Amino acid sequence: MRRIYPDIQDNPDIAQAYAYPEDRPWLRLNMVASADGAAWLKGRSGGLSSKGDKRIFQVLRGLSDVVLAGAATVRTEGYGPVKPRDSWAEIRAGRPEVPPIALITRSLDFDLDHELFTEARSRTIVISCEAAPHERRKEAAKRSDLIVAGDEGVDMRRAVAELHERGLTRILCEGGPRINAQLSADDLVDELCLSISPMLVGGGAARIVNGEPAQVALGLSQVLEEEGVLFCKYTREHSHERAD
């Protein structure tokens, strides 16, 4: 792997390249897309991934305090609990050995006996709303750290504030596109890490942000490259001035 922007460097330190700011909370989106903007191939993002993308994916998880994802992404991508890695020893010093998964769901329609709840090293967080079925909420509260944020749907601002209250200020969001759209529309995105796969997909695949309209100005701060795949980091302009 090499860095090609803002300078040229072979074998950059990936953890250093993606280090979080020290002085503020930060919400990072991490997504992969084809060259024509598709967020998945045959329904899953894995078909667009590469060895370099998988390495960066793991480092980003290790750097984060919490991994945020929508229920559809968790089901489609077959999420399990985050597993500890020897390579995280330094970047997770002073923190739990793995970040928890924070699952966003309005309906609470998932298997509470899944390994995501029964085998997680860090207790899984479920973020839902008042409209979720009452009995499901009671069961979810027994198996997870349940956050109720919003009435008819999940209020992303409240959800993020609740994560911050728990000391989880370095948030890594892995999508999907509709969650990304909500976060963007609510002015919560600080950074986009986008792996661009050198293939054309076409068809009906969504873009990485798919839903509510938003306009978030980003500046290109870094580009890495490996085997034709570009790993771009876009940082929000004047993020520190964003209103709470």
Side-chain angles (χ1 to χ4, degrees):
M1 186 172 291
R2 60 181 181 145
R3 182 160 56 219
I4 59 175
Y5 181 83
D7 57 8
I8 305 295
Q9 182 181 339
D10 290 329
N11 300 313
D13 184 319
I14 295 176
Q16 186 178 61
Y18 288 95
Y20 281 87
E22 295 285 343
D23 59 345
R24 67 191 73 136
W26 200 256
L27 192 148
R28 162 182 285 163
L29 305 183
N30 182 40
M31 296 293 290
V32 62
S34 66
D36 60 332
W40 58 67
L41 177 64
K42 297 180 180 178
R44 299 186 67 173
S45 64
L48 299 172
S49 191
S50 66
K51 291 180 181 178
D53 180 57
K54 290 180 172 67
R55 290 205 308 280
I56 290 175
F57 174 88
Q58 291 297 345
V59 171
L60 294 186
R61 280 191 160 195
L63 289 168
S64 72
D65 291 334
V66 60
V67 177
L68 183 66
T73 294
V74 169
R75 284 191 291 264
T76 301
E77 302 290 344
Y79 271 49
V82 179
K83 297 180 180 179
R85 303 175 72 87
D86 291 341
S87 59
W88 289 355
E90 183 175 349
I91 62 177
R92 295 201 64 78
R95 296 186 293 165
E97 60 181 350
V98 298
I101 298 286
L103 168 65
I104 299 174
T105 170
R106 182 184 182 279
S107 66
L108 293 172
D109 182 20
F110 49 79
D111 182 7
L112 291 168
D113 291 320
H114 189 273
E115 63 176 348
L116 189 58
F117 302 95
T118 61
E119 299 180 19
R121 299 288 188 100
S122 290
R123 188 172 173 85
T124 295
I125 299 167
V126 172
I127 304 174
S128 193
C129 60
E130 295 287 352
H134 181 67
E135 289 302 315
R136 295 294 293 171
R137 280 173 50 191
K138 284 175 61 178
E139 286 302 311
K142 295 176 185 176
R143 308 290 185 89
S144 68
D145 179 2
L146 178 66
I147 294 173
V148 178
D151 298 321
E152 293 302 314
V154 174
D155 181 324
M156 291 299 183
R157 284 183 173 273
R158 285 174 59 182
V160 168
E162 287 281 354
L163 294 176
H164 289 174
E165 285 291 320
R166 288 160 170 76
L168 306 174
T169 59
R170 298 174 178 181
I171 301 173
L172 171 65
C173 180
E174 296 177 351
R178 291 195 176 278
I179 298 298
N180 295 343
Q182 289 177 266
L183 291 168
S184 299
D186 285 342
D187 203 27
L188 293 167
V189 176
D190 294 297
E191 183 181 293
L192 167 64
C193 298
L194 179 63
S195 301
I196 303 175
S197 179
M199 67 172 70
L200 301 175
V201 171
R207 298 180 300 167
I208 63 167
V209 176
N210 186 37
E212 301 177 55
Q215 187 170 344
V216 181
L218 301 172
L220 180 64
S221 55
Q222 176 177 267
V223 183
L224 308 182
E225 184 274 338
E226 183 178 85
E227 298 180 345
V229 182
L230 298 178
F231 307 99
C232 302
K233 184 170 73 169
Y234 299 92
T235 304
R236 182 189 172 94
E237 296 179 358
H238 309 300
S239 180
H240 61 288
E241 296 176 2
R242 185 183 61 216
D244 293 330

